[in-house]
Amino acid sequence: MNDEPQLLAGRYEVGDLIGRGGMAEVHIGYDTRLGRNVAIKILRADLARDPSFQTRFRREAQAAAGLNHPSIVAVYDTGEDHRPSESGAVQAVPYIVMEYVEGHTVRDILKGDVAAPIEEAVEITLGVLSGLEYAHHAGLVHRDIKPANVMLTPTGAVKVMDFGIARALADVGQTMTQTQAVVGTAQYLSPEQARGENVDARSDLYSTGCLLFELLTGRPPFMGDSPVSVAYQHVREEAPRPSQFASDVPAELDAVVGKALQKDRNARYSTAQEFAADLERAMGGSPAPGTGTTPVGSAAWGVGAAGVAAAGAAAGAQSGGPDGSDATSIMPADDGAYPYTPGTGATAVMPAGGGWGSVMGGPPGPPPSVRPPSTGTIVTDEELVEDDPRRRLLIQIGIAAAAVVGLILVIWALFSMLGNDGGEPEPTATLVTVPILAGVEQDTAGTRLTALGLEPVFEEEMSADVAEGLVIRTDPPAGDQVDPETDPEVTVYVSTGPDEVEVPEVRGMTREDAITDLEEAGLVVTTFEEDHDPDIAVDRATKTEPAAGQVVAPGTEITLYVSDGKVELPELRGSTESEAQQQLIELGLTGNAEDVETTEADPGTVIEQDPLPGLVNQGSTVTIKVAQAPTTVEVPNVVGMTQSQATNALTNAGLQTNVNEENSLTVPSGEVMSQNPSGGIKVAVGTTVTITVSEGPLPTTSPGP
């Protein structure tokens, strides 16, 4: 037995299987040339013969290989391995060599329908949006954002993976596979994907909204018995609010998720950056204008919420080195060890926003001043200045320019002070950002605006989409910056509900879901009635009064009819067998017919039924007895009858008659002396009965002359 590991391209050792998908298998691998662990994705052998799968697999490699971002799993290499097939012919099996990410998927977090903490849910979503922003700018739509395609590393970094069905923005019209099956995963499909229409970046943002919804609530926004039913809901039904399933979700996040899950893509966020900015505002992480700071996870950084190496570099570019100095430090060289840890010379994962701990809640690392010394060379600005006269000149020019600007600012400030009454400096205007209030109760909206120094002005407005008493929008809109001193008024439009509503269709829903739908439409369920509906299971809604589709005033009282699991069995006796069976089929009942020979009813007529008319359980079996013409008959006793009486009796019994005549001294003429078969014997209908009729005594003969 050969224990040598499989080697691809002469450098990649293929190790144990660590994952399997519908198109490929993923193995842990080892790059012998660079001395590092990798993940190797190999197209399944049974699919390698199909050119369409090979094309799709290569497209994934091409799509992801051009993306170099800390929130996207990196692709290092791609190629083809030539293997003998079962027929003996050599076939090409494509493979992709990717970054090996140690950690777990978001799907693992959500197992058991457990929601993530709100802060962590937002951080994960910001990481996904960061990667998508980069991919969209690169002209690529992922098309399959879901929890199973988002990885979390032990350091808290977010990694988007599996660009297997990604498409270039120039090619987004191709939403179908060759088998004309809609691509993507049903619970996270955008409405346009479900309809097979063109997709764009906003389709990914819809799927990200589904991901955020599930992180906040522990369940996707739409659920059903089949992928088709879920896709139908994405197209036709409005998404619920996360707070309906998780009461701790604030209204601001409800509004963000609601905008991301709009059916009309024009009503959604247009970019991932816009989505991320609203998320940060909803969480209260938006900085005041002019502070020059950016909160952790901001889309403006262009990095994931977990803050990997690129984020650390961006932070260093803004505020100098990690220790606060202006020195530029060189990271230690990679020694090939895995997992990579700071201090080993391997690639280090840097935190976002200048913090050195894990954003996802892991233990903080040591501050830069106590981290182990690296083997790299630290070059200071002083050394650079000494080595480069031009740099020294540029610095001197910069210092002189800064001095001139500072002098100008001082002079301007003095003139401003002198121009004011009393010689006091004019206060600098402080702007505040109008918060997101859509979906918030009126009192809460007023409290939040007042806390910011703003004056709420409430206006009522009818709305068919926003419940009565909740905020529809504000003017200025959320996100705008206003001066509380000069322009403090903010008009808040509060919903009065719709002026008329259409009774929704609730047939087939559970009692609880039907009540929820009716109340969300602005109606009041006051009465419940039992209904005997053969098509609706017990304790599910059958109809409403007023009926579905009728337009009524808000607050109208509704009677909800609920199935009791029974049906009304009608009277079947007297109807034909076919008529009875048809009625039972329409009621969802099973008919069991039994034939009964009788002369008291027409053949084919129902003469008995069990159970009798009344309420029976859905799906019950009903036994019906159907009259059939008799096949045998009892021969009547006609001895002693006249010939005509005997003939009538036998004919009425369905028998034929044959008459013989004999002389008899004892039996009067014209009476039946005997019969064959005898009376009381059962014979087949139509049997001939022979009767012997007396002719009286023989006539006497006169003696001759």
Side-chain angles (χ1 to χ4, degrees):
M1 182 175 180
N2 185 11
D3 293 333
E4 290 294 327
Q6 180 185 353
L7 200 64
L8 298 179
R11 64 182 287 189
Y12 302 112
E13 291 182 358
V14 180
D16 294 336
L17 180 70
I18 57 176
R20 179 181 287 109
M23 187 173 67
E25 295 176 343
V26 181
H27 296 257
I28 188 171
Y30 184 73
D31 186 347
T32 58
R33 184 174 302 173
L34 297 180
R36 63 181 176 184
N37 292 326
V38 294
I40 304 175
K41 189 172 187 177
I42 304 174
L43 183 63
R44 281 170 37 191
D46 57 324
L47 303 178
R49 295 185 296 271
D50 190 333
S52 64
F53 281 102
Q54 289 193 6
T55 300
R56 177 174 163 185
F57 195 80
R58 292 190 186 100
R59 185 171 69 240
E60 175 182 0
Q62 294 168 356
L67 301 177
N68 182 18
H69 190 274
S71 290
I72 299 175
V73 174
V75 171
Y76 297 145
D77 194 6
T78 182
E80 292 182 351
D81 182 36
H82 294 82
R83 303 177 179 177
S85 63
E86 296 179 357
S87 62
V90 176
Q91 66 179 21
V93 180
Y95 65 86
I96 302 173
V97 181
M98 303 178 296
E99 172 188 7
Y100 177 68
V101 180
E102 185 180 12
H104 52 268
T105 66
V106 174
R107 169 57 57 211
D108 298 329
I109 296 178
L110 298 173
K111 281 184 178 178
D113 299 333
V114 177
I118 292 178
E119 293 78 7
E120 185 171 339
V122 172
E123 290 291 345
I124 292 172
T125 306
L126 287 171
V128 173
L129 290 171
S130 173
L132 288 178
E133 179 73 10
Y134 182 85
H136 294 165
H137 275 301
L140 201 67
V141 182
H142 188 285
R143 302 203 302 170
D144 197 18
I145 294 296
K146 58 184 179 181
N149 282 343
V150 179
M151 288 281 296
L152 296 179
T153 71
T155 61
V158 178
K159 295 279 188 178
V160 180
M161 60 182 182
D162 196 356
F163 280 77
I165 61 173
R167 285 278 188 185
L169 284 169
D171 194 27
V172 291
Q174 302 183 25
T175 60
M176 299 284 186
T177 64
Q178 287 186 350
T179 59
Q180 293 299 301
V182 177
V183 297
T185 304
Q187 290 178 320
Y188 312 96
L189 276 182
S190 64
E192 56 268 20
Q193 281 178 281
R195 290 191 294 260
E197 298 174 354
N198 295 352
V199 300
D200 56 21
R202 292 168 294 181
S203 304
D204 281 349
L205 301 185
Y206 182 94
S207 301
T208 307
C210 295
L211 171 67
L212 176 56
F213 187 102
E214 188 167 358
L215 284 166
L216 293 171
T217 64
R219 51 153 285 167
F222 298 112
M223 301 175 68
D225 298 330
S226 67
V228 174
S229 66
V230 176
Y232 177 84
Q233 294 177 69
H234 279 292
V235 174
R236 300 297 300 274
E237 297 184 9
E238 290 299 322
R241 299 187 305 275
S243 58
Q244 293 178 228
F245 306 98
S247 58
D248 59 337
V249 176
E252 291 87 349
L253 276 182
D254 272 349
V256 173
V257 174
K259 183 170 182 178
L261 296 182
Q262 289 293 317
K263 305 300 178 191
D264 181 2
R265 72 179 86 186
N266 293 320
R268 293 179 215 146
Y269 293 108
S270 58
T271 65
Q273 188 172 8
E274 181 184 340
F275 191 166
D278 262 11
L279 265 182
E280 290 166 352
R281 277 196 292 267
M283 293 301 291
S286 180
T291 61
T293 60
T294 305
V296 174
S298 171
W301 283 47
V303 297
V308 289
Q318 289 184 356
S319 59
D323 59 354
S325 69
D326 293 329
T328 302
S329 60
I330 307 299
M331 292 298 295
D334 183 2
D335 63 358
Y338 191 89
Y340 306 126
T341 54
T344 64
T347 304
V349 179
M350 303 287 287
W356 291 90
S358 169
V359 176
M360 302 307 294
S369 59
V370 298
R371 291 187 181 275
S374 72
T375 59
T377 304
I378 297 179
V379 183
T380 64
D381 286 344
E382 289 79 7
E383 292 171 335
L384 291 174
V385 171
E386 291 174 1
D387 292 342
D388 191 346
R390 289 176 298 175
R391 179 182 293 272
R392 185 166 57 250
L393 177 61
L394 289 174
I395 291 176
Q396 292 172 349
I397 294 173
I399 294 173
V404 172
V405 172
L407 181 60
I408 293 173
L409 291 175
V410 170
I411 295 173
W412 175 82
L414 289 173
F415 275 103
S416 298
M417 292 173 62
L418 293 175
N420 291 336
D421 294 338
E424 294 187 1
E426 183 178 349
T428 303
T430 302
L431 302 180
V432 296
T433 302
V434 179
I436 299 174
L437 299 176
V440 174
E441 293 184 354
Q442 178 175 337
D443 293 343
T444 304
T447 301
R448 293 182 183 178
L449 291 173
T450 303
L452 294 173
L454 301 175
E455 298 178 8
V457 178
F458 295 103
E459 295 284 348
E460 292 186 343
E461 185 176 280
M462 290 186 300
S463 173
D465 301 322
V466 181
E468 182 180 358
L470 301 183
V471 175
I472 303 172
R473 68 183 189 281
T474 59
D475 184 20
D480 280 13
Q481 294 181 338
V482 297
D483 185 352
E485 298 295 333
T486 61
D487 191 15
E489 289 190 355
V490 175
T491 303
V492 182
Y493 293 90
V494 181
S495 172
T496 60
D499 56 344
E500 58 181 22
V501 296
E502 181 178 324
V503 179
E505 177 62 80
V506 297
R507 179 175 173 82
M509 294 183 180
T510 64
R511 180 196 297 258
E512 293 75 15
D513 289 346
I515 294 172
T516 299
D517 273 27
L518 291 168
E519 290 180 346
E520 287 182 350
L523 306 173
V524 181
V525 180
T526 58
T527 309
F528 297 93
E529 296 287 346
E530 289 186 344
D531 194 11
H532 317 311
D533 194 309
D535 300 323
I536 304 299
V538 63
D539 208 33
R540 288 184 174 267
T542 61
K543 61 183 179 181
T544 57
E545 182 61 43
Q550 291 190 17
V551 177
V552 297
T556 298
E557 295 184 350
I558 299 293
T559 299
L560 179 63
Y561 289 82
V562 181
S563 173
D564 61 358
K566 298 182 180 295
V567 294
E568 185 76 36
L569 178 63
E571 175 65 75
L572 302 176
R573 291 170 293 187
S575 59
T576 65
E577 178 184 4
S578 60
E579 291 172 346
Q581 291 284 20
Q582 183 60 36
Q583 291 184 70
L584 293 175
I585 291 172
E586 292 174 354
L587 294 173
L589 303 174
T590 302
N592 179 29
E594 296 179 359
D595 292 337
V596 177
E597 294 185 0
T598 181
T599 58
E600 297 179 358
D602 294 335
T605 303
V606 177
I607 57 176
E608 293 183 30
Q609 71 179 75
D610 183 27
L612 294 174
L615 291 177
V616 297
N617 292 330
Q618 292 176 345
S620 299
T621 298
V622 179
T623 301
I624 56 175
K625 294 186 177 182
V626 182
Q628 297 294 327
T631 57
T632 60
V633 65
E634 184 177 329
V635 178
N637 186 7
V638 296
V639 175
M641 296 181 182
T642 65
Q643 179 179 340
S644 61
Q645 291 174 337
T647 300
N648 288 336
L650 293 172
T651 300
N652 291 338
L655 302 173
Q656 303 293 324
T657 306
N658 181 35
V659 180
N660 289 333
E661 295 180 346
E662 290 184 4
N663 296 104
S664 173
L665 295 175
T666 58
V667 178
S669 177
E671 288 187 6
V672 177
M673 297 187 298
S674 63
Q675 68 181 74
N676 185 26
S678 302
I681 297 175
K682 286 192 174 183
V683 296
V685 174
T687 299
T688 299
V689 178
T690 300
I691 59 175
T692 301
V693 181
S694 172
E695 288 186 333
L698 289 171
T700 57
T701 305
S702 302

